[in-house]
Amino acid sequence: MKSAHRHIIRQAQDFAREVHQGDASGHDWWHVQRVTRIARILAHLEGANVYICELSAVLHDVADEKLNVSKEAGYERVRHWLKQAGAEASDQEHVLGIIGTMSFSGGTGSAMHTLEGQIVQDADRLDAMGVIGIARTFAYSGWKGQSMYDPSVPLRERMTLEEYRKGKSTAINHFHEKLLKLKDRMNTESAKLLADGKHQSLELFLEAYDKEWAMGNEAYLRESPIHRGNVSRIHIAFDESTAGSLRIMLLSKPGEIVVTLGDNLMAGPLPNDLDFARSHSTRKEWFEERYSTAHAEDRKLTMLQAAFAWLTWPQQMKEMPCLIWAGDSAAEQLGLRRLLSLMPDHSEVRLVNATSVLHQHNPNQRFKGTFEMNANHLQLVLDAAEPVPLSPQAQEGYRADWERLLREDGFLRVLRGDMLCTVPESYYDEEILKTVYRLEARHGFFKKSARVIGEVIGQGELTVSDSFIEYRIRHLIQKGALTYSGELDAMRHYSVSLVDASSPKEQWSHEQRLAKAAKLKSLLSEMMEMNFTETGFMEELRQLDAESLGLSELSGSEVLTGSMQTEIDHLLSTYEDHQEQRKSLMRFLEKALIQVDETAPKE
């Protein structure tokens, strides 16, 4: 760059700094600095005149009508300064042309005709996007006396320059009226690439703002900063995994939204919505007393967020078409019953049992719940079967079942067929002990608790949470059925092994007796499997003829064939005694199991 050009730019910087000093509208000197820096780099990348780009960027807001009596007055102000600074006539016209065409003007501005103009315009628009653009938007709204957001102020889809400048709006409306449109109005390839990430920041901010606006808001459907009352159907999920897949599936359907009513109701006291405060406190205390302290704060937050959702959403959904996603898992079926108890006699509610639909579509494929499905699976479900409308009678049946579960006042519920059943907390203890045995965590050998939990849930295809299984493992340790090494503060910090009870059987705890039964059952199962395998193997040997193996051409084949046949015959004759002994032992184990069960104390 020529030294004369550098001198003019330094003068322009001093001039612009003085003009923008003390600005609180988001058009301060630091905005000018950022635009200038971006314009300089873009000019190098795009092969433009760096001097013209930089000079135009420094002066681009001096002529802004917000800072002048009128746009024309601002324009003349810059013209006068350029002439006084000694800029060449052609450069003056180029810079003035850029500044005069810079403004967004409510989307009505003219197109830039030079590469330098396109670059400066891109740089200015990039600074209106992303995190800094968000900050500038709220600064500008505050400076102008506008609210952050007011649901009663409508979006201005089309507007004149006068309406854009002086009409009523809000900071959030400005996102829709200008900021979200900028990505598609970039001129250069470099700016288009940069705009993608900044545009995503705008969208993420709006989603977060909308989410916080929804918190505790019973009028959210009317007030939503994103949806603004334009909701045609609500999809209801009972966990975040299902909700996430649904949102991906519905990307092309902006009128349909997803509501998450969380809190896995399989474990713990059920919330009674007629006495919410007491039952919520009881439920929270139940988890605090039993579950590990690891992630306790996360668990409290999850329960709190679920409470907000359950207290605000059902009332809003009474008059809206609803699609409830509840598959063959206890958590989803419990959520379904609770929801229908809170919005009785809904006239437009439908049920989707995605696990059942997909199993009918492909009998070889089985999901534990909707939470295991991705967006493609869920779309396949909708394509394969029409969601079932829930009649008043069906809704009443679900509500009655919820009342039954509340009366049973238990702490663990499982799904048996189509029936939700209240079961003891110890329901999975035997499976835990059998898994520990199967993993050979016995006789002084230990296995990580996390490994045991993964095996219990995975092999048993359970839908109960890993936190519940971990609670039961610590309970079995406390009762002497398991021993451990490490620290019990988190499942990944300790390992477990089966305990051989040394005390008289009359003093065994229920859990120790259960451990004995688990050992016996596992041993019996292994022996039965071994017996089945060996029986087939021995039958193959009986049919084997050593002479038919084709060994006659080998040296000493007669001796080899004879010896092999002798060994086979000897093995067959001794195996029969061995098999009888094993069968006798298996019968003994079965009797021992019966005795353990009969003498076991009841919980």
Side-chain angles (χ1 to χ4, degrees):
M1 186 184 295
K2 297 177 182 178
S3 59
H5 290 168
R6 291 195 187 95
H7 179 67
I8 290 173
I9 287 176
R10 282 195 295 271
Q11 286 183 293
Q13 289 172 338
D14 292 338
F15 175 51
R17 186 184 293 110
E18 184 179 348
V19 170
H20 297 294
Q21 187 175 10
D23 179 271
S25 72
H27 298 81
D28 57 4
W29 167 243
W30 292 109
H31 162 64
V32 174
Q33 282 277 66
R34 291 190 300 271
V35 172
T36 303
R37 291 163 181 164
I38 296 170
R40 183 190 306 128
I41 299 299
L42 289 178
H44 284 294
L45 291 171
E46 300 292 334
N49 186 318
V50 177
Y51 165 63
I52 294 296
C53 289
E54 194 165 344
L55 182 58
S56 301
V58 171
L59 298 172
H60 82 277
D61 266 345
V62 171
D64 195 298
E65 61 186 286
K66 294 187 293 294
L67 306 175
N68 298 276
V69 177
S70 65
K71 180 178 181 180
E72 291 73 22
Y75 190 76
E76 285 303 316
R77 185 183 189 187
V78 175
R79 179 189 291 277
H80 176 73
W81 185 90
L82 285 169
K83 186 176 181 179
Q84 183 181 352
E88 295 179 15
S90 60
D91 292 342
Q92 291 182 39
E93 294 306 313
H94 198 169
V95 171
L96 288 168
I98 291 172
I99 292 174
T101 319
M102 280 285 294
S103 178
F104 178 75
S105 303
T108 63
S110 303
M112 284 288 184
H113 297 297
T114 68
L115 177 59
E116 289 74 20
Q118 292 174 352
I119 285 172
V120 178
Q121 188 177 60
D122 282 352
D124 188 40
R125 289 177 173 178
L126 286 170
D127 200 56
M129 303 175 70
V131 175
I132 286 179
I134 293 169
R136 290 183 61 216
T137 295
F138 284 92
Y140 179 75
S141 291
W143 174 80
K144 201 173 181 181
Q146 296 175 339
S147 62
M148 288 196 306
Y149 177 61
D150 183 345
S152 68
V153 178
L155 287 176
R156 300 173 297 174
E157 298 294 339
R158 293 181 179 85
M159 50 191 150
T160 64
L161 176 59
E162 182 72 11
E163 290 170 336
Y164 175 68
R165 292 294 188 199
K166 299 182 179 179
K168 189 174 183 180
S169 187
T170 70
I172 293 298
N173 284 17
H174 190 64
F175 279 72
H176 300 280
E177 293 169 354
K178 176 182 177 180
L179 305 188
L180 293 173
K181 297 177 180 178
L182 295 178
K183 178 174 75 75
D184 295 328
R185 299 192 179 203
M186 293 294 162
N187 301 295
T188 62
E189 288 302 315
S190 300
K192 289 176 182 177
L193 290 172
L194 293 171
D196 280 337
K198 286 175 166 282
H199 183 86
Q200 188 176 16
S201 294
L202 298 175
E203 291 181 321
L204 290 173
F205 175 82
L206 276 179
E207 288 174 8
Y209 191 95
D210 185 80
K211 184 176 181 180
E212 292 192 19
W213 192 272
M215 186 174 289
N217 186 353
E218 295 180 354
Y220 168 80
L221 290 176
R222 296 194 307 273
E223 296 179 358
S224 165
I226 291 180
H227 305 294
R228 296 174 177 265
N230 298 315
V231 175
S232 58
R233 182 162 68 169
I234 299 175
H235 294 254
I236 301 159
F238 297 108
D239 59 86
E240 287 296 342
S241 178
T242 301
S245 296
L246 284 171
R247 290 188 182 101
I248 295 172
M249 183 189 76
L250 296 172
L251 284 175
S252 61
K253 299 177 180 178
E256 301 191 31
I257 68 169
V258 180
V259 170
T260 310
L261 296 174
D263 196 3
N264 188 332
L265 300 176
M266 277 190 72
L270 285 176
N272 186 339
D273 294 290
L274 297 178
D275 188 10
F276 186 86
R278 184 196 59 79
S279 66
H280 177 74
S281 177
T282 301
R283 182 168 169 79
K284 185 174 68 171
E285 290 171 2
W286 188 91
F287 286 110
E288 289 174 353
E289 291 170 359
R290 289 163 174 78
Y291 280 23
S292 168
T293 55
H295 311 297
E297 295 304 311
D298 291 339
R299 185 167 57 249
K300 289 179 184 177
L301 178 60
T302 299
M303 289 186 67
L304 182 62
Q305 291 170 333
F308 266 88
W310 280 102
L311 286 170
T312 55
W313 272 109
Q315 283 295 114
Q316 293 187 74
M317 296 189 293
K318 283 183 177 180
E319 306 302 324
M320 292 293 301
C322 293
L323 202 59
I324 304 175
W325 293 79
D328 292 328
S329 78
E332 293 172 34
Q333 290 297 318
L334 285 160
L336 167 67
R337 285 155 175 76
R338 182 185 180 187
L339 176 59
L340 291 176
S341 74
L342 292 172
M343 48 181 206
D345 302 323
H346 195 299
S347 60
E348 293 186 82
V349 63
R350 292 172 179 264
L351 175 63
V352 183
N353 185 330
T355 52
S356 177
V357 171
L358 287 186
H359 185 61
Q360 292 173 11
H361 181 77
N362 181 1
N364 296 322
Q365 190 175 39
R366 189 75 186 183
F367 293 93
K368 290 190 288 186
T370 316
F371 53 85
E372 287 191 329
M373 302 177 190
N374 60 35
N376 292 331
H377 290 133
L378 300 182
Q379 186 60 59
L380 180 60
V381 168
L382 288 184
D383 294 340
E386 184 69 20
V388 180
L390 285 179
S391 66
Q393 294 78 12
Q395 294 182 49
E396 177 56 36
Y398 285 118
R399 286 194 294 273
D401 204 37
W402 176 253
E403 292 297 326
R404 170 185 67 83
L405 292 165
L406 285 174
R407 289 193 301 272
E408 289 175 353
D409 197 25
F411 303 124
L412 182 65
R413 292 150 289 274
V414 299
L415 191 64
R416 292 173 176 166
D418 295 330
M419 180 76 173
L420 280 167
C421 301
T422 301
V423 296
E425 290 180 58
S426 61
Y427 184 77
Y428 294 113
D429 287 3
E430 182 177 343
E431 186 60 36
I432 292 170
L433 293 166
K434 288 167 67 177
T435 300
V436 173
Y437 181 91
R438 187 173 66 251
L439 292 175
E440 299 182 348
R442 53 188 189 269
H443 306 309
F445 291 94
F446 290 79
K447 291 293 181 181
K448 283 288 187 182
S449 172
R451 168 77 185 281
V452 174
I453 293 166
E455 288 284 329
V456 170
I457 292 175
Q459 294 296 324
E461 296 188 351
L462 310 182
T463 59
V464 70
S465 70
D466 55 0
S467 296
F468 180 83
I469 298 298
E470 201 262 338
Y471 147 56
R472 294 310 301 175
I473 287 177
R474 284 186 291 104
H475 177 80
L476 291 169
I477 291 171
Q478 181 185 0
K479 293 299 183 180
L482 294 174
T483 186
Y484 75 98
S485 65
E487 299 294 332
L488 292 175
D489 57 340
M491 67 177 74
R492 65 185 183 279
H493 291 162
Y494 67 96
S495 301
V496 295
S497 179
L498 283 172
V499 170
D500 288 316
S502 56
S503 56
K505 64 181 182 180
E506 293 81 9
Q507 299 177 15
W508 289 355
S509 68
H510 169 78
E511 288 76 12
Q512 288 173 320
R513 193 174 299 276
L514 193 62
K516 287 286 185 182
K519 286 183 182 181
L520 290 174
K521 287 180 181 179
S522 297
L523 183 59
L524 180 58
S525 176
E526 288 177 1
M527 292 185 69
M528 291 174 67
E529 185 176 346
M530 188 185 303
N531 187 66
F532 178 79
T533 302
E534 283 191 3
T535 300
F537 174 70
M538 298 308 294
E539 186 60 34
E540 291 288 335
L541 279 180
R542 285 191 182 92
Q543 298 177 18
L544 182 64
D545 182 359
E547 293 185 2
S548 68
L549 295 176
L551 304 176
S552 58
E553 298 180 3
L554 299 177
S555 176
S557 60
E558 291 183 5
V559 176
L560 180 61
T561 301
S563 298
M564 182 180 296
Q565 190 63 53
T566 299
E567 291 296 327
I568 291 173
D569 293 341
H570 177 70
L571 180 60
L572 289 171
S573 63
T574 57
Y575 176 71
E576 291 181 1
D577 291 337
H578 174 71
Q579 188 180 40
E580 285 302 318
Q581 290 174 351
R582 179 184 293 157
K583 288 180 178 179
S584 175
L585 177 58
M586 288 165 63
R587 287 191 292 270
F588 174 79
L589 288 174
E590 288 176 345
K591 291 179 181 178
L593 273 173
I594 294 172
Q595 185 179 6
V596 169
D597 289 339
E598 287 178 347
T599 57
K602 304 301 179 184
E603 283 191 285

